[in-house]
Amino acid sequence: MQEQENLGFYVLAEVPMRIPVSNTDGSRVVSYIDGTWRVLYTKANGLGFYMSGTTVGIGPDLIKNVSGTDYYTSYSDNIERSCPFSTTALVPEQSIYNTTYTYDFYDVGTYLDCSVGCYFGVVGSSKPIYWSATTQVTIPKL
């Protein structure tokens, strides 16, 4: 972690996820998507968000895509901003990742409310799978 901080890269928050994946008729859970959503801050890119997901469990479920929107509101101006994201695998895979930067920079000590709402497209699931999270962060001294 100290090496990341020396490079001006900070993980401000990390929210784990475990999302059940049902079979095509929705009658039973066949696997899970395990992953994390992170709020990042860098000297070069400002505020950013990272999403990862990996299927684990019974079925050979593969992730086709993930798409959604990261939201962030600064306590200093109380304006909600959004940053949409989307990643599609050329060939469905067991894992998918997405990093998005806002290029918004904040003063040290600024408090932000951050949230995400996203859909995972999974082979073998009857419909896209929704997940959301919320966290609060403080901008560090870089």
Side-chain angles (χ1 to χ4, degrees), residues 17-21 29 31-35 118 120 129-131:
M17 71 174 87
R18 183 167 184 91
I19 308 166
V21 177
V29 172
S31 63
Y32 294 89
I33 298 173
D34 285 348
C118 66
F120 286 89
I129 300 163
Y130 183 74
W131 184 78

Side-chain angles (χ1 to χ4, degrees), residues 39-122:
V39 180
L40 315 170
Y41 199 74
T42 72
K43 288 180 181 179
N45 302 318
L47 186 67
F49 301 95
Y50 169 82
M51 172 70 68
S52 70
T54 300
T55 58
V56 293
I58 303 164
D61 298 312
L62 301 174
I63 300 172
K64 298 182 285 188
N65 56 51
V66 61
S67 62
T69 304
D70 295 303
Y71 299 93
Y72 53 106
T73 303
S74 166
Y75 282 37
S76 62
D77 64 13
N78 206 32
I79 297 172
E80 182 179 73
R81 294 168 176 84
S82 62
C83 187
F85 64 90
S86 179
T87 297
T88 300
L90 294 176
V91 175
E93 300 180 17
Q94 191 172 7
S95 297
I96 199 161
Y97 307 91
N98 180 280
T99 303
T100 306
Y101 288 101
T102 65
Y103 301 98
D104 288 344
F105 296 88
Y106 292 94
D107 294 332
V108 172
T110 299
Y111 294 100
L112 298 168
D113 280 328
C114 300
S115 61
V116 63
C118 66
Y119 290 91
F120 286 89
V122 178

